[in-house]
Amino acid sequence: MVPRRSAVVVTWTTALVAAGAAWVGVGPGREATAQPAPACNMPTTDFCNAVVQPPANWHGHVFELSQAYPTAAPNDAQPWAAFNPRTQPDQYIKAVLAHFYEGNLRPDVEMCFEPKLNTVRGWYNAPWQDFGTNGREPIHGLTRERVSRPFELDPHQSRSWNNYAVGFYNAPGAVTIGRVWADRGRPNPAFGSMPNGTVAAKLLFTTAPVSEVPYLQGAPTWNAYVYADANDPAPGPTSPRAVLPVRLLQIDIAVKDPQVADVTGWVFGTFVYGGGPGGQPGAGWTNVAPVGVMWGNDPGYPGSGPLIQTSLNPAVHMPHVGFQGRLNGPVDNAASSCLSCHATAEAPAGTMVPPHGADPAPWFQNLRSGTPFDPGRQALDYSLQVSVGLSNFAAAQALARSPSPAARHNLLMQMIRMDARPPRDGGAIH
Ligand code: HEC
């Protein structure tokens, strides 16, 4: 349940220390946490930027959570509104991407998508994604995402590779985030409805090298302070970190649009770098191709014949998309779809991916914006970062309230085990 007010909140790092873990501040690659972190995620402080500090010798980009959430959104252009997502999906999703790119690209790749340098419009990050093994790293605020198993990204891919991502909301979405979190000691999911015109966009990067995923040639590359063993499918808090290059693989977009209010209220689309296997050579942020667009889950689809509410780009040939050909991205779980998983955004958190053996039909309904996946819960309007943030907050409260050090230790161990499988893979959230 959503916790009641408490002055005590526990961050991930303090939880590890309090549990007696000698993991923080010691060992190769962990010198980062030796620097004292400023207080954050407390009822009267800012939200935290990341789960660990950057390495002591790091002089490059440092992530600062864009958290000056506006109380009202300025009037802004909505260039995608000129297109019908059902009949012009390609133009529609490209218009949203151009809007996201505007003011965010600059010659220094490390300084791209830095909200404080964008003079065109504000972009904001969701709070409380900095908790647990998969929490934000400190250079670009990347969270650990689903691991790509061999051949999921490309026929040349022989090993598993970790993926990392950072998401941004435009001002309309950020107004909602600000309302949910107005009282930082007691967030209120009842304010979790996103206004029309909300855009959320997420940049997904992979540790996979060009030798295994050739279409990544020319992809923008960021440094990130992530788990040093890029092939480790289940890192934990003791796993060493290192600054590794990560390459742009996928860009996810979600738009709340009244044009599809009769279906789900949301249009989701995704891009793959370089056009995917056998795709287009090129370089830079703009060398991406839409994989497809969806605005509904095609409930009752028998598994063959055309899908009506997913439109895939015929020029892109990914090794997989989503369940029965519905839209999903390169890093995503093929048993799910964008809207299937995001429809489970609610408080308390729902089960994102149909469990093995379960009838998948409930996960492929069309839930209108505002309808919770599980009756009686608070719908969070397809916004999983809001859902994950609230769950992380609740987990921190549960740690703070543990009746004994042993109980806290057990709870922490349970959370660490859950984190081995990120929610985007179908794992539970705290
Ligand atoms: C199996 C679950 C799952 C699937 C499938 C999935 N996502 Fe997400 N997505 C998540 C989770 C969990 C988050 C929040 C945590 C994070 O960002 O790491 C998220 C965050 C996002 C965000 C940031 C805003 C928000 O709503 O939280 C966008 C945009 C997004 N996803 C788009 C997409 C698109 C587009 C697809 C399909 C191509 C997709 N997602 C498929 C689980 C999923």
Side-chain angles (χ1 to χ4, degrees):
M1 275 312 294
V2 175
R4 310 298 296 176
R5 175 187 290 279
S6 161
V8 187
V9 185
V10 166
T11 63
W12 186 242
T13 315
T14 54
L16 293 177
V17 172
W23 303 321
V24 181
V26 293
R30 298 209 61 82
E31 67 280 11
T33 44
Q35 297 172 25
C40 55
N41 278 359
M42 300 294 159
T44 57
T45 66
D46 279 350
F47 295 113
C48 300
N49 296 315
V51 76
V52 292
Q53 296 289 295
N57 56 354
W58 178 250
H59 301 296
H61 188 263
V62 173
F63 176 73
E64 280 175 49
L65 192 85
S66 174
Q67 56 179 299
Y69 309 118
T71 50
N75 258 332
D76 195 2
Q78 297 186 3
W80 60 90
F83 302 107
N84 181 337
R86 300 175 212 230
T87 56
Q88 301 168 295
D90 199 62
Q91 288 123 299
Y92 182 95
I93 206 67
K94 284 178 175 166
V96 188
L97 185 70
H99 183 80
F100 175 49
Y101 275 7
E102 214 181 344
N104 271 331
L105 304 188
R106 40 193 68 85
D108 180 351
V109 173
E110 290 280 331
M111 299 309 285
C112 293
F113 299 93
E114 173 50 81
K116 51 179 189 290
L117 299 181
N118 190 325
T119 54
V120 181
R121 62 180 58 87
W123 290 96
Y124 306 87
N125 308 114
W128 274 95
Q129 314 293 300
D130 50 82
F131 191 82
T133 313
N134 304 321
R136 291 191 193 278
E137 60 77 50
I139 297 180
H140 286 288
L142 308 181
T143 52
R144 184 175 160 266
E145 303 278 318
R146 184 174 176 276
V147 170
S148 293
R149 279 72 161 177
F151 312 116
E152 283 188 349
L153 300 178
D154 189 271
H156 297 87
Q157 185 200 346
S158 57
R159 285 170 289 174
S160 290
W161 294 98
N162 271 283
N163 299 310
Y164 294 90
V166 61
F168 303 87
Y169 284 84
N170 69 353
V175 169
T176 291
I177 293 177
R179 283 190 193 140
V180 168
W181 289 95
D183 182 343
R184 288 160 189 226
R186 190 184 165 193
N188 190 345
F191 292 118
S193 167
M194 298 277 167
N196 283 322
T198 294
V199 174
K202 199 164 149 181
L203 302 168
L204 291 101
F205 295 82
T206 185
T207 56
V210 175
S211 56
E212 294 200 18
V213 186
Y215 55 84
L216 295 175
Q217 181 70 52
T221 300
W222 273 354
N223 286 300
Y225 191 50
V226 295
Y227 293 106
D229 179 354
N231 306 116
D232 185 352
T238 50
S239 307
R241 286 178 182 260
V243 177
L244 298 186
V246 294
R247 293 167 190 80
L248 181 68
L249 167 66
Q250 174 176 341
I251 303 176
D252 280 349
I253 284 177
V255 185
K256 178 121 183 229
D257 191 330
Q259 295 188 75
V260 293
D262 56 322
V263 190
T264 59
W266 287 86
V267 179
F268 274 59
T270 192
F271 292 81
V272 61
Y273 195 78
Q280 61 216 27
W285 294 97
T286 54
N287 187 32
V288 295
V291 177
V293 172
M294 75 187 300
W295 53 94
N297 272 310
D298 280 280
Y301 176 65
S304 62
L307 285 159
I308 311 296
Q309 296 166 347
T310 281
S311 168
L312 296 179
N313 178 359
V316 166
H317 306 283
M318 296 311 298
H320 71 89
V321 281
F323 185 58
Q324 297 176 324
R326 294 171 179 87
L327 181 64
N328 231 353
V331 312
D332 288 308
N333 190 322
S336 185
S337 81
C338 311
L339 283 169
S340 168
C341 191
H342 277 259
T344 68
E346 59 186 3
T351 302
M352 294 187 195
V353 178
H356 277 296
D359 174 10
W363 279 265
F364 297 95
Q365 314 166 67
N366 285 335
L367 295 181
R368 294 218 190 157
S369 175
T371 310
F373 183 74
D374 293 289
R377 300 195 191 181
Q378 175 64 52
L380 291 171
D381 207 352
Y382 286 82
S383 302
L384 281 169
Q385 289 193 341
V386 175
S387 177
V388 167
L390 291 170
S391 296
N392 285 343
F393 177 85
Q397 295 282 33
L399 282 173
R401 293 210 187 110
S402 295
S404 67
R408 179 184 283 186
H409 186 265
N410 287 343
L411 188 55
L412 189 66
M413 291 304 131
Q414 192 188 322
M415 289 175 188
I416 290 168
R417 274 194 301 276
M418 282 164 72
D419 278 354
R421 196 170 170 210
R424 195 163 176 147
D425 196 21
I429 50 184
H430 297 127

